[in-house]
Amino acid sequence: MPKRQATLSAASAWAILGVLAFLFNGVRRVIPVALQPFSQGLSPLGWVAYGLTALFFAYAEGYRGFQLRFSPLVVRRAMLLDRQQPLLRQVLAPAYAMAFFHASRRRKVTSYGLILGIMAVVAVVKRLPYPYRAILDAGVCVGLSWGMCATALIYVAALRSGRAPDVDPCLPQEP
């Protein structure tokens, strides 16, 4: 397994900032709909669903998906980026950190499958009427926001400790 040393490099910073921008763009796009209940109102049952959905997404997407899995992987791979890495990996650092290339076949299939699955769910949710879409978008906002925070905090912790997260970076097998 490659080194676990964590040092700041332009490419690792770009990788993390790019991933954070990608996640922030998702929040930016759904937050107007997620906030509609505060101006249009919900029934009492609707508010319960709104709160429970936010809690579910905080746990399932934010904690389990991001904090325990995706964010440590992104930070670990970002920490591999230094001046010795090929220029393409440095330029495309966010995509590299998210394991869209130079990753094991299994990890690439997972990364691409996840993004395609998310795109399919987004297409379906966009067709939902009010208040269902607003309730789901609120959960997505919570999950993505948790993911941004987890990624940033894990990155800062790695820089402070000098050690990258102890996760498999899912690199391809060397021939």
Side-chain angles (χ1 to χ4, degrees):
M1 194 174 303
K3 64 180 178 163
R4 280 196 47 223
Q5 182 179 348
T7 57
L8 181 63
S9 72
S12 74
W14 162 228
I16 298 302
L17 289 173
V19 170
L20 292 176
F22 179 73
L23 297 175
F24 177 77
N25 187 52
V27 172
R28 180 190 63 78
R29 293 175 69 139
V30 298
I31 202 162
V33 175
L35 293 177
Q36 283 178 349
F38 293 98
S39 61
Q40 297 182 17
L42 284 175
S43 68
L45 184 60
W47 283 113
V48 169
Y50 193 89
L52 289 175
T53 300
L55 288 173
F56 173 78
F57 274 81
Y59 176 73
E61 183 182 2
Y63 177 69
R64 293 208 47 190
F66 279 105
Q67 187 173 332
L68 297 182
R69 294 188 182 109
F70 181 76
S71 298
L73 173 72
V74 164
V75 172
R76 177 76 162 97
R77 288 179 61 88
M79 291 299 177
L80 296 174
L81 293 167
D82 56 24
R83 290 185 184 167
Q84 284 76 44
Q85 292 290 322
L87 184 60
L88 182 65
R89 288 184 205 156
Q90 294 180 52
V91 171
L92 300 177
Y96 172 82
M98 292 187 285
F100 285 116
F101 71 98
H102 194 69
S104 66
R105 183 178 189 280
R106 181 177 179 175
R107 182 65 234 183
K108 282 192 284 190
V109 167
T110 300
S111 293
Y112 282 102
L114 189 61
I115 201 81
L116 291 172
I118 290 168
M119 289 168 64
V121 169
V122 166
V124 170
V125 170
K126 283 178 106 172
R127 298 181 194 282
L128 292 176
Y130 180 84
Y132 308 108
R133 179 178 173 195
I135 291 169
L136 287 175
D137 281 356
V140 169
C141 282
V142 170
L144 290 176
S145 297
W146 189 307
M148 287 188 302
C149 291
T151 303
L153 291 173
I154 291 169
Y155 181 64
V156 169
L159 290 175
R160 290 185 67 163
S161 71
R163 296 191 52 84
D166 189 18
V167 298
D168 179 7
C170 300
L171 296 173
Q173 293 293 325
E174 297 294 326

